[in-house]
Amino acid sequence: MSDTERYLPAEQRRERTVAAVIELAAEQDPAAITTAAIANRMQLTQGALFRHFPSKEAIWEAAMEWVARRLLERIERAAQGQPAPLAALEAMFLAHASFVAAHPGVPRMMFGELQRAGDTPAKRLARTLIAQYGARLHRLIEDGKSRGELCPGLDAEGAATLFIGSLQGLVMQSLIAGDVARVATEAPRVFALYRRAVEARP
């Protein structure tokens, strides 16, 4: 371990731990990742790792916090400055897809965590992420309806669910194919179909 690595501030060390977990999740079953493997990836001892995290579950919780924060920041940036709600929805859809393609370990971690029995802190964070994401979509969809851009009778809750579900379906298919980058390449075609379903007709 270099002197630079040895004396990293605590927050930066935590960020690097999360990055190591996400890298490992892209390469193997997330459930099989051990603290020894994480420490090895970071060129640390397990003792050094546990100075920043009390348990493996705490590492997973930090990873889910990182995912939620970064994904929500990414879609908010994409939506800002767009001329209309439908353009903002498209920008969010494509930004989400590119985030997944850039971090292939993220969907593997998310799906793995959601399959675990019981209610874990990481699972609660995943639910909070979906709730916040859905609320943001709901506001955009209602704004689009009020502007006459989206169908006036559109079920906003259903449209938000379809938006997220379309992305989740893309992610699942890419995982099955073993090519997470497909999410970004397929996203424009899938959003075009979503647009046809929600856009107001002349």
Side-chain angles (χ1 to χ4, degrees):
M1 178 171 60
S2 68
D3 287 343
T4 301
E5 184 73 24
R6 187 188 305 276
Y7 297 112
L8 283 176
E11 187 55 37
Q12 195 171 348
R13 175 64 56 75
R14 288 172 63 87
E15 288 270 341
R16 291 202 179 183
T17 304
V18 167
V21 170
I22 292 172
E23 287 173 8
L24 287 166
E27 301 165 7
Q28 64 185 81
D29 178 2
I33 297 172
T34 63
T35 53
I38 298 167
N40 185 60
R41 177 59 63 99
M42 298 178 68
Q43 298 183 317
L44 295 175
T45 64
Q46 287 191 72
L49 186 63
F50 284 124
R51 282 200 289 273
H52 299 281
F53 296 94
S55 65
K56 180 179 174 181
E57 187 168 271
I59 295 173
W60 247 242
E61 185 177 358
M64 295 300 290
E65 286 175 350
W66 183 92
V67 169
R69 184 175 70 253
R70 293 296 179 90
L71 178 57
L72 290 173
E73 287 173 355
R74 176 80 67 96
I75 64 172
E76 284 294 337
R77 283 199 307 271
Q80 285 173 359
Q82 295 298 328
L86 193 52
L89 287 169
E90 181 172 13
M92 288 170 66
F93 196 93
L94 300 181
H96 187 146
S98 68
F99 178 84
V100 172
H103 305 287
V106 166
R108 292 169 63 87
M109 287 178 58
M110 291 281 285
F111 284 130
E113 189 62 34
L114 294 175
Q115 290 178 66
R116 288 181 60 189
D119 195 24
T120 66
K123 189 181 288 189
R124 289 194 292 274
L125 276 166
R127 286 201 300 268
T128 299
L129 167 61
I130 295 297
Q132 292 176 342
Y133 200 147
R136 179 73 176 91
L137 291 170
H138 192 278
R139 291 194 298 271
L140 266 178
I141 291 164
E142 289 294 353
D143 188 23
K145 287 165 64 177
S146 69
R147 294 191 192 193
E149 190 178 25
L150 304 182
C151 298
L154 182 65
D155 175 357
E157 298 256 353
T161 299
L162 179 61
F163 184 103
I164 294 172
S166 297
L167 282 162
Q168 289 172 333
L170 271 175
V171 171
M172 183 62 74
Q173 289 182 47
S174 73
L175 288 173
I176 292 169
D179 180 12
V180 176
R182 279 182 55 180
V183 175
T185 56
E186 294 290 329
R189 296 172 53 209
V190 174
F191 187 83
L193 294 173
Y194 179 83
R195 175 192 288 270
R196 291 183 63 184
V198 301
E199 196 169 18
R201 299 290 181 269

